[in-house]
Amino acid sequence: MRLFTSMLLLLALAAPASGAEPERIGTASIVLGKVQVRHAGAEKWGRLQPGEALFLGDRIRTAASSSARLKLNDGSSMSMAAASELELNEFVYKPQGERRSFFKLWSGKVKAAVSKYLAGRNKFELGTPTAVAGVRGTEFVVETGPEGEGSTVTVLEGSVDVRSSDPKIPGNIVLAAGGRSQVGPSLPPGAALMLDEAALRALDRSVSVKGKGSARSAVTRDDAESAAGDFGFAPASGAPNLGGGGLPPINQQPTDARRPSSVTIRIHLPDEK
């Protein structure tokens, strides 16, 4: 009986703890516009906030005219353009050992700036429904359309190994800086096409996310009044409450109460390189 009890105790200690916290792998360093996140294990999407922690298994999506930059624990970053959806599938980072990542872009466009990896069992891969791009220390852009339309990989710096996402399809291509390859459904990567400097700069600008200038977002009047309350503003008929370090009130022209109205908020963000 004593032996049986001891065995049960050992099994209990060896079993993984239920409800363990997911692994934190980075943060949302910049969020512009409407960006949502569905954390690992959650059923609903929520608004992604600047500085919010990111976890293994999270899924992030940007709306039209929105973008985000994700900073990973290994120093790499992912810049998401508008109308993009990214899943954080795998991330292993040991500063003095193994580094391994795999993320999946379901739609849209992403730029990956990958910190330089040491030799050995280290890799960074970004997949789509049709392609997988693998790198070691470089910058590249991956674009994918709706399912069935294929993907495009373009290298800004360094080199990238591109293959089909279907392991049954042989063949790969190594792209150098300036190179681009398209990967269609159930096809190997297409021949490399070299882009000129102007085209590369335009592509880089289209997906770069910087905390500089203004982020514009149209909100309803109810949203504006709710935000004003959060900042300690007094009701519209009274003077603003600035005693607690609040901000000046939003200037808004009188509107017809029977019609919906909107206000544009300009948010000035600090520079981030």
Short mmCIF file of all heavy atoms in Angstrom, two decimals, residues 87-143:
data_model
loop_
_atom_site.label_atom_id
_atom_site.label_comp_id
_atom_site.label_asym_id
_atom_site.label_seq_id
_atom_site.Cartn_x
_atom_site.Cartn_y
_atom_site.Cartn_z
N GLU A 87 0.03 34.49 -37.21
CA GLU A 87 -0.06 33.57 -36.08
C GLU A 87 1.34 33.26 -35.56
O GLU A 87 2.25 32.96 -36.33
CB GLU A 87 -0.77 32.28 -36.49
CG GLU A 87 -1.01 31.31 -35.34
CD GLU A 87 -1.81 30.09 -35.77
OE1 GLU A 87 -2.13 29.97 -36.97
OE2 GLU A 87 -2.12 29.26 -34.90
N LEU A 88 1.50 33.32 -34.23
CA LEU A 88 2.80 33.08 -33.59
C LEU A 88 2.85 31.62 -33.15
O LEU A 88 2.51 31.27 -32.03
CB LEU A 88 2.97 34.01 -32.39
CG LEU A 88 2.68 35.50 -32.67
CD1 LEU A 88 2.87 36.33 -31.41
CD2 LEU A 88 3.55 36.03 -33.81
N ASN A 89 3.29 30.75 -34.06
CA ASN A 89 3.18 29.31 -33.84
C ASN A 89 4.26 28.73 -32.94
O ASN A 89 3.98 27.93 -32.05
CB ASN A 89 3.22 28.57 -35.18
CG ASN A 89 2.17 29.06 -36.14
OD1 ASN A 89 2.33 30.10 -36.75
ND2 ASN A 89 1.08 28.32 -36.27
N GLU A 90 5.52 29.09 -33.19
CA GLU A 90 6.63 28.45 -32.49
C GLU A 90 7.72 29.48 -32.20
O GLU A 90 8.04 30.31 -33.05
CB GLU A 90 7.21 27.31 -33.32
CG GLU A 90 8.36 26.58 -32.65
CD GLU A 90 8.96 25.49 -33.54
OE1 GLU A 90 8.70 25.51 -34.76
OE2 GLU A 90 9.69 24.64 -33.02
N PHE A 91 8.26 29.44 -30.99
CA PHE A 91 9.34 30.36 -30.65
C PHE A 91 10.16 29.76 -29.51
O PHE A 91 9.66 29.55 -28.41
CB PHE A 91 8.78 31.72 -30.21
CG PHE A 91 9.83 32.77 -29.97
CD1 PHE A 91 10.33 33.53 -31.02
CD2 PHE A 91 10.33 32.98 -28.70
CE1 PHE A 91 11.30 34.48 -30.80
CE2 PHE A 91 11.30 33.94 -28.47
CZ PHE A 91 11.79 34.70 -29.53
N VAL A 92 11.40 29.45 -29.82
CA VAL A 92 12.34 28.94 -28.82
C VAL A 92 13.55 29.85 -28.83
O VAL A 92 14.17 30.07 -29.88
CB VAL A 92 12.77 27.49 -29.14
CG1 VAL A 92 13.85 27.03 -28.16
CG2 VAL A 92 11.57 26.55 -29.10
N TYR A 93 13.89 30.42 -27.67
CA TYR A 93 15.03 31.34 -27.61
C TYR A 93 15.84 31.08 -26.35
O TYR A 93 15.36 31.30 -25.23
CB TYR A 93 14.55 32.78 -27.64
CG TYR A 93 15.66 33.79 -27.40
CD1 TYR A 93 16.84 33.73 -28.14
CD2 TYR A 93 15.54 34.79 -26.44
CE1 TYR A 93 17.86 34.64 -27.93
CE2 TYR A 93 16.55 35.71 -26.23
CZ TYR A 93 17.71 35.63 -26.97
OH TYR A 93 18.72 36.52 -26.76
N LYS A 94 17.04 30.60 -26.56
CA LYS A 94 18.00 30.43 -25.48
C LYS A 94 19.22 31.26 -25.84
O LYS A 94 19.93 30.93 -26.81
CB LYS A 94 18.38 28.95 -25.32
CG LYS A 94 17.18 28.06 -24.99
CD LYS A 94 17.56 26.59 -24.93
CE LYS A 94 16.34 25.72 -24.64
NZ LYS A 94 16.68 24.28 -24.63
N PRO A 95 19.47 32.37 -25.13
CA PRO A 95 20.53 33.31 -25.53
C PRO A 95 21.86 32.67 -25.87
O PRO A 95 22.56 33.11 -26.77
CB PRO A 95 20.64 34.23 -24.31
CG PRO A 95 19.27 34.19 -23.71
CD PRO A 95 18.78 32.79 -23.92
N GLN A 96 22.23 31.62 -25.17
CA GLN A 96 23.51 30.96 -25.43
C GLN A 96 23.34 29.60 -26.11
O GLN A 96 24.26 28.80 -26.12
CB GLN A 96 24.28 30.79 -24.10
CG GLN A 96 24.52 32.08 -23.36
CD GLN A 96 25.30 33.07 -24.19
OE1 GLN A 96 26.20 32.70 -24.95
NE2 GLN A 96 24.98 34.35 -24.04
N GLY A 97 22.16 29.37 -26.66
CA GLY A 97 21.93 28.06 -27.26
C GLY A 97 20.98 28.13 -28.44
O GLY A 97 21.13 28.96 -29.34
N GLU A 98 19.96 27.29 -28.43
CA GLU A 98 19.07 27.12 -29.56
C GLU A 98 18.15 28.32 -29.74
O GLU A 98 17.63 28.90 -28.78
CB GLU A 98 18.23 25.85 -29.36
CG GLU A 98 17.34 25.52 -30.54
CD GLU A 98 16.55 24.24 -30.29
OE1 GLU A 98 16.58 23.76 -29.14
OE2 GLU A 98 15.92 23.75 -31.23
N ARG A 99 17.94 28.71 -30.99
CA ARG A 99 16.97 29.76 -31.36
C ARG A 99 16.17 29.23 -32.54
O ARG A 99 16.72 28.93 -33.59
CB ARG A 99 17.69 31.06 -31.73
CG ARG A 99 18.56 31.60 -30.62
CD ARG A 99 19.41 32.76 -31.10
NE ARG A 99 18.61 33.95 -31.36
CZ ARG A 99 19.13 35.08 -31.83
NH1 ARG A 99 20.42 35.16 -32.10
NH2 ARG A 99 18.36 36.12 -32.03
N ARG A 100 14.86 29.14 -32.37
CA ARG A 100 14.02 28.58 -33.42
C ARG A 100 12.67 29.27 -33.40
O ARG A 100 12.04 29.42 -32.35
CB ARG A 100 13.85 27.08 -33.19
CG ARG A 100 13.10 26.36 -34.29
CD ARG A 100 13.06 24.86 -34.07
NE ARG A 100 12.19 24.47 -32.96
CZ ARG A 100 12.62 24.05 -31.79
NH1 ARG A 100 13.93 23.94 -31.56
NH2 ARG A 100 11.79 23.71 -30.84
N SER A 101 12.21 29.70 -34.60
CA SER A 101 10.93 30.40 -34.70
C SER A 101 10.19 29.96 -35.94
O SER A 101 10.80 29.68 -36.98
CB SER A 101 11.14 31.93 -34.77
OG SER A 101 11.92 32.39 -33.70
N PHE A 102 8.87 29.90 -35.83
CA PHE A 102 8.01 29.69 -37.00
C PHE A 102 6.72 30.46 -36.79
O PHE A 102 6.01 30.26 -35.80
CB PHE A 102 7.69 28.21 -37.22
CG PHE A 102 6.82 28.00 -38.44
CD1 PHE A 102 7.38 27.93 -39.70
CD2 PHE A 102 5.43 27.91 -38.32
CE1 PHE A 102 6.58 27.76 -40.83
CE2 PHE A 102 4.63 27.72 -39.44
CZ PHE A 102 5.21 27.66 -40.69
N PHE A 103 6.45 31.40 -37.70
CA PHE A 103 5.21 32.16 -37.68
C PHE A 103 4.50 31.96 -39.01
O PHE A 103 5.13 31.72 -40.03
CB PHE A 103 5.49 33.66 -37.47
CG PHE A 103 6.30 33.94 -36.23
CD1 PHE A 103 7.38 34.80 -36.27
CD2 PHE A 103 6.00 33.33 -35.03
CE1 PHE A 103 8.13 35.06 -35.15
CE2 PHE A 103 6.74 33.57 -33.89
CZ PHE A 103 7.81 34.44 -33.94
N LYS A 104 3.17 32.10 -38.99
CA LYS A 104 2.41 31.89 -40.22
C LYS A 104 1.60 33.13 -40.57
O LYS A 104 0.79 33.60 -39.76
CB LYS A 104 1.49 30.67 -40.11
CG LYS A 104 0.84 30.31 -41.45
CD LYS A 104 0.33 28.89 -41.48
CE LYS A 104 -0.16 28.50 -42.86
NZ LYS A 104 -0.61 27.10 -42.94
N LEU A 105 1.81 33.63 -41.78
CA LEU A 105 1.05 34.75 -42.31
C LEU A 105 -0.13 34.19 -43.09
O LEU A 105 0.04 33.62 -44.16
CB LEU A 105 1.95 35.61 -43.21
CG LEU A 105 1.28 36.82 -43.87
CD1 LEU A 105 0.84 37.84 -42.83
CD2 LEU A 105 2.22 37.45 -44.89
N TRP A 106 -1.33 34.39 -42.58
CA TRP A 106 -2.52 33.86 -43.22
C TRP A 106 -3.01 34.77 -44.34
O TRP A 106 -3.62 34.31 -45.31
CB TRP A 106 -3.62 33.64 -42.20
CG TRP A 106 -3.34 32.49 -41.29
CD1 TRP A 106 -2.85 32.55 -40.01
CD2 TRP A 106 -3.51 31.10 -41.57
NE1 TRP A 106 -2.70 31.30 -39.49
CE2 TRP A 106 -3.11 30.38 -40.42
CE3 TRP A 106 -3.97 30.40 -42.69
CZ2 TRP A 106 -3.15 28.99 -40.36
CZ3 TRP A 106 -4.01 29.01 -42.63
CH2 TRP A 106 -3.60 28.32 -41.48
N SER A 107 -2.77 36.06 -44.21
CA SER A 107 -3.18 37.00 -45.24
C SER A 107 -2.42 38.31 -45.04
O SER A 107 -1.94 38.61 -43.94
CB SER A 107 -4.69 37.26 -45.18
OG SER A 107 -5.05 37.84 -43.93
N GLY A 108 -2.27 39.08 -46.12
CA GLY A 108 -1.66 40.40 -46.01
C GLY A 108 -0.17 40.42 -46.29
O GLY A 108 0.35 39.64 -47.09
N LYS A 109 0.52 41.32 -45.58
CA LYS A 109 1.94 41.57 -45.85
C LYS A 109 2.68 41.85 -44.55
O LYS A 109 2.21 42.61 -43.71
CB LYS A 109 2.05 42.77 -46.82
CG LYS A 109 3.47 43.15 -47.18
CD LYS A 109 3.49 44.07 -48.40
CE LYS A 109 2.67 45.31 -48.26
NZ LYS A 109 2.81 46.22 -49.43
N VAL A 110 3.86 41.25 -44.42
CA VAL A 110 4.68 41.39 -43.22
C VAL A 110 6.14 41.56 -43.61
O VAL A 110 6.62 40.90 -44.53
CB VAL A 110 4.54 40.15 -42.30
CG1 VAL A 110 5.68 40.07 -41.29
CG2 VAL A 110 3.21 40.18 -41.57
N LYS A 111 6.82 42.46 -42.90
CA LYS A 111 8.28 42.56 -43.03
C LYS A 111 8.93 42.00 -41.77
O LYS A 111 8.58 42.40 -40.66
CB LYS A 111 8.73 44.01 -43.23
CG LYS A 111 10.26 44.11 -43.40
CD LYS A 111 10.73 45.53 -43.65
CE LYS A 111 10.78 46.34 -42.38
NZ LYS A 111 11.47 47.64 -42.57
N ALA A 112 9.86 41.08 -41.96
CA ALA A 112 10.59 40.50 -40.84
C ALA A 112 12.01 41.04 -40.83
O ALA A 112 12.70 41.00 -41.84
CB ALA A 112 10.61 38.98 -40.94
N ALA A 113 12.42 41.59 -39.71
CA ALA A 113 13.81 42.02 -39.51
C ALA A 113 14.39 41.08 -38.47
O ALA A 113 14.13 41.21 -37.27
CB ALA A 113 13.87 43.47 -39.04
N VAL A 114 15.17 40.12 -38.92
CA VAL A 114 15.62 39.02 -38.07
C VAL A 114 17.02 39.31 -37.53
O VAL A 114 17.94 39.60 -38.30
CB VAL A 114 15.62 37.69 -38.86
CG1 VAL A 114 15.99 36.53 -37.95
CG2 VAL A 114 14.25 37.46 -39.49
N SER A 115 17.18 39.21 -36.22
CA SER A 115 18.50 39.40 -35.62
C SER A 115 19.41 38.27 -36.06
O SER A 115 18.96 37.16 -36.34
CB SER A 115 18.39 39.44 -34.10
OG SER A 115 17.88 38.21 -33.61
N LYS A 116 20.68 38.56 -36.12
CA LYS A 116 21.65 37.57 -36.62
C LYS A 116 21.72 36.36 -35.70
O LYS A 116 21.89 36.51 -34.49
CB LYS A 116 23.03 38.22 -36.79
CG LYS A 116 23.06 39.25 -37.92
CD LYS A 116 24.47 39.67 -38.21
CE LYS A 116 24.50 40.67 -39.35
NZ LYS A 116 23.94 40.12 -40.60
N TYR A 117 21.61 35.20 -36.28
CA TYR A 117 21.63 33.95 -35.54
C TYR A 117 23.03 33.36 -35.55
O TYR A 117 23.79 33.52 -36.48
CB TYR A 117 20.67 32.95 -36.18
CG TYR A 117 19.23 33.13 -35.78
CD1 TYR A 117 18.78 34.32 -35.25
CD2 TYR A 117 18.33 32.08 -35.93
CE1 TYR A 117 17.46 34.48 -34.87
CE2 TYR A 117 17.00 32.23 -35.56
CZ TYR A 117 16.57 33.43 -35.03
OH TYR A 117 15.26 33.58 -34.66
N LEU A 118 23.33 32.64 -34.47
CA LEU A 118 24.59 31.93 -34.42
C LEU A 118 24.50 30.66 -35.25
O LEU A 118 23.42 30.21 -35.61
CB LEU A 118 24.91 31.58 -32.96
CG LEU A 118 25.03 32.76 -32.00
CD1 LEU A 118 25.22 32.24 -30.58
CD2 LEU A 118 26.20 33.66 -32.39
N ALA A 119 25.63 30.06 -35.54
CA ALA A 119 25.62 28.81 -36.30
C ALA A 119 25.05 27.70 -35.43
O ALA A 119 24.99 27.79 -34.21
CB ALA A 119 27.04 28.48 -36.75
N GLY A 120 24.63 26.64 -36.08
CA GLY A 120 24.09 25.51 -35.33
C GLY A 120 22.60 25.35 -35.55
O GLY A 120 22.07 25.67 -36.60
N ARG A 121 21.90 24.86 -34.52
CA ARG A 121 20.47 24.59 -34.64
C ARG A 121 19.68 25.87 -34.40
O ARG A 121 19.03 26.06 -33.38
CB ARG A 121 20.07 23.52 -33.62
CG ARG A 121 20.72 22.17 -33.86
CD ARG A 121 20.30 21.20 -32.78
NE ARG A 121 18.84 21.05 -32.73
CZ ARG A 121 18.20 20.43 -31.74
NH1 ARG A 121 18.88 19.94 -30.72
NH2 ARG A 121 16.89 20.33 -31.77
N ASN A 122 19.74 26.78 -35.36
CA ASN A 122 19.05 28.05 -35.25
C ASN A 122 18.36 28.36 -36.57
O ASN A 122 18.97 28.26 -37.63
CB ASN A 122 20.03 29.17 -34.91
CG ASN A 122 20.70 28.95 -33.56
OD1 ASN A 122 20.11 29.17 -32.52
ND2 ASN A 122 21.94 28.48 -33.61
N LYS A 123 17.11 28.75 -36.50
CA LYS A 123 16.40 29.09 -37.72
C LYS A 123 15.22 30.00 -37.40
O LYS A 123 14.69 30.02 -36.28
CB LYS A 123 15.89 27.84 -38.44
CG LYS A 123 14.85 27.05 -37.67
CD LYS A 123 14.39 25.83 -38.48
CE LYS A 123 13.32 25.04 -37.72
NZ LYS A 123 12.85 23.88 -38.50
N PHE A 124 14.85 30.78 -38.40
CA PHE A 124 13.68 31.65 -38.33
C PHE A 124 12.90 31.42 -39.62
O PHE A 124 13.43 31.64 -40.71
CB PHE A 124 14.11 33.12 -38.22
CG PHE A 124 12.96 34.09 -38.09
CD1 PHE A 124 12.69 34.71 -36.88
CD2 PHE A 124 12.16 34.40 -39.18
CE1 PHE A 124 11.64 35.60 -36.75
CE2 PHE A 124 11.11 35.30 -39.07
CZ PHE A 124 10.85 35.90 -37.86
N GLU A 125 11.66 30.97 -39.50
CA GLU A 125 10.86 30.68 -40.68
C GLU A 125 9.52 31.40 -40.61
O GLU A 125 8.88 31.46 -39.55
CB GLU A 125 10.63 29.18 -40.84
CG GLU A 125 11.89 28.40 -41.16
CD GLU A 125 11.62 26.94 -41.43
OE1 GLU A 125 10.69 26.38 -40.82
OE2 GLU A 125 12.36 26.35 -42.25
N LEU A 126 9.13 31.94 -41.76
CA LEU A 126 7.83 32.59 -41.89
C LEU A 126 7.07 31.88 -43.00
O LEU A 126 7.51 31.86 -44.15
CB LEU A 126 8.01 34.08 -42.23
CG LEU A 126 6.72 34.89 -42.43
CD1 LEU A 126 5.84 34.84 -41.18
CD2 LEU A 126 7.07 36.34 -42.77
N GLY A 127 5.95 31.27 -42.65
CA GLY A 127 5.20 30.50 -43.61
C GLY A 127 3.92 31.18 -44.04
O GLY A 127 3.43 32.11 -43.38
N THR A 128 3.37 30.74 -45.16
CA THR A 128 2.07 31.17 -45.68
C THR A 128 1.33 29.90 -46.11
O THR A 128 1.89 28.80 -46.04
CB THR A 128 2.21 32.12 -46.88
OG1 THR A 128 2.62 31.36 -48.03
CG2 THR A 128 3.23 33.22 -46.61
N PRO A 129 0.10 30.01 -46.59
CA PRO A 129 -0.57 28.81 -47.10
C PRO A 129 0.15 28.12 -48.25
O PRO A 129 -0.10 26.94 -48.52
CB PRO A 129 -1.94 29.34 -47.54
CG PRO A 129 -2.19 30.49 -46.62
CD PRO A 129 -0.84 31.14 -46.47
N THR A 130 1.08 28.84 -48.93
CA THR A 130 1.75 28.21 -50.08
C THR A 130 3.27 28.18 -49.97
O THR A 130 3.91 27.43 -50.71
CB THR A 130 1.40 28.95 -51.39
OG1 THR A 130 1.88 30.30 -51.32
CG2 THR A 130 -0.11 28.96 -51.62
N ALA A 131 3.88 28.97 -49.09
CA ALA A 131 5.34 29.08 -49.09
C ALA A 131 5.90 29.12 -47.68
O ALA A 131 5.20 29.43 -46.71
CB ALA A 131 5.78 30.34 -49.84
N VAL A 132 7.21 28.81 -47.58
CA VAL A 132 7.96 28.95 -46.33
C VAL A 132 9.27 29.66 -46.65
O VAL A 132 10.00 29.23 -47.55
CB VAL A 132 8.25 27.59 -45.67
CG1 VAL A 132 9.12 27.79 -44.43
CG2 VAL A 132 6.95 26.88 -45.30
N ALA A 133 9.55 30.75 -45.93
CA ALA A 133 10.81 31.48 -46.10
C ALA A 133 11.65 31.30 -44.85
O ALA A 133 11.21 31.61 -43.74
CB ALA A 133 10.53 32.96 -46.34
N GLY A 134 12.88 30.77 -45.01
CA GLY A 134 13.76 30.53 -43.89
C GLY A 134 15.00 31.39 -43.98
O GLY A 134 15.62 31.50 -45.05
N VAL A 135 15.40 32.01 -42.86
CA VAL A 135 16.52 32.96 -42.89
C VAL A 135 17.40 32.80 -41.65
O VAL A 135 17.02 32.16 -40.68
CB VAL A 135 16.01 34.41 -42.95
CG1 VAL A 135 15.14 34.63 -44.16
CG2 VAL A 135 15.25 34.77 -41.68
N ARG A 136 18.56 33.46 -41.72
CA ARG A 136 19.44 33.63 -40.56
C ARG A 136 20.02 35.03 -40.60
O ARG A 136 21.05 35.27 -41.21
CB ARG A 136 20.57 32.60 -40.59
CG ARG A 136 20.13 31.19 -40.25
CD ARG A 136 21.32 30.27 -40.16
NE ARG A 136 20.92 28.89 -39.88
CZ ARG A 136 21.77 27.88 -39.79
NH1 ARG A 136 23.05 28.09 -39.96
NH2 ARG A 136 21.33 26.67 -39.52
N GLY A 137 19.31 35.98 -40.00
CA GLY A 137 19.81 37.34 -39.92
C GLY A 137 19.64 38.12 -41.21
O GLY A 137 20.55 38.20 -42.00
N THR A 138 18.47 38.68 -41.42
CA THR A 138 18.20 39.41 -42.65
C THR A 138 16.90 40.18 -42.54
O THR A 138 16.21 40.13 -41.51
CB THR A 138 18.13 38.44 -43.85
OG1 THR A 138 18.09 39.17 -45.05
CG2 THR A 138 16.89 37.57 -43.76
N GLU A 139 16.54 40.91 -43.60
CA GLU A 139 15.25 41.57 -43.69
C GLU A 139 14.57 41.14 -44.99
O GLU A 139 15.18 41.16 -46.05
CB GLU A 139 15.41 43.10 -43.67
CG GLU A 139 15.85 43.65 -42.34
CD GLU A 139 15.76 45.17 -42.29
OE1 GLU A 139 15.06 45.75 -43.15
OE2 GLU A 139 16.39 45.77 -41.41
N PHE A 140 13.30 40.78 -44.88
CA PHE A 140 12.58 40.35 -46.07
C PHE A 140 11.09 40.63 -45.88
O PHE A 140 10.62 40.84 -44.76
CB PHE A 140 12.82 38.87 -46.36
CG PHE A 140 12.28 37.93 -45.31
CD1 PHE A 140 11.12 37.19 -45.54
CD2 PHE A 140 12.95 37.76 -44.11
CE1 PHE A 140 10.63 36.33 -44.58
CE2 PHE A 140 12.47 36.89 -43.14
CZ PHE A 140 11.31 36.17 -43.38
N VAL A 141 10.37 40.65 -47.00
CA VAL A 141 8.93 40.92 -46.99
C VAL A 141 8.21 39.73 -47.59
O VAL A 141 8.60 39.21 -48.64
CB VAL A 141 8.60 42.20 -47.78
CG1 VAL A 141 7.09 42.41 -47.86
CG2 VAL A 141 9.28 43.40 -47.16
N VAL A 142 7.14 39.29 -46.92
CA VAL A 142 6.30 38.20 -47.42
C VAL A 142 4.89 38.74 -47.62
O VAL A 142 4.35 39.40 -46.73
CB VAL A 142 6.29 37.01 -46.45
CG1 VAL A 142 5.32 35.94 -46.95
CG2 VAL A 142 7.68 36.42 -46.30
N GLU A 143 4.32 38.47 -48.78
CA GLU A 143 2.94 38.87 -49.09
C GLU A 143 2.16 37.63 -49.51
O GLU A 143 2.67 36.77 -50.21
CB GLU A 143 2.92 39.88 -50.24
CG GLU A 143 3.79 41.11 -50.01
CD GLU A 143 3.93 41.96 -51.26
OE1 GLU A 143 2.92 42.60 -51.65
OE2 GLU A 143 5.03 41.96 -51.85
#
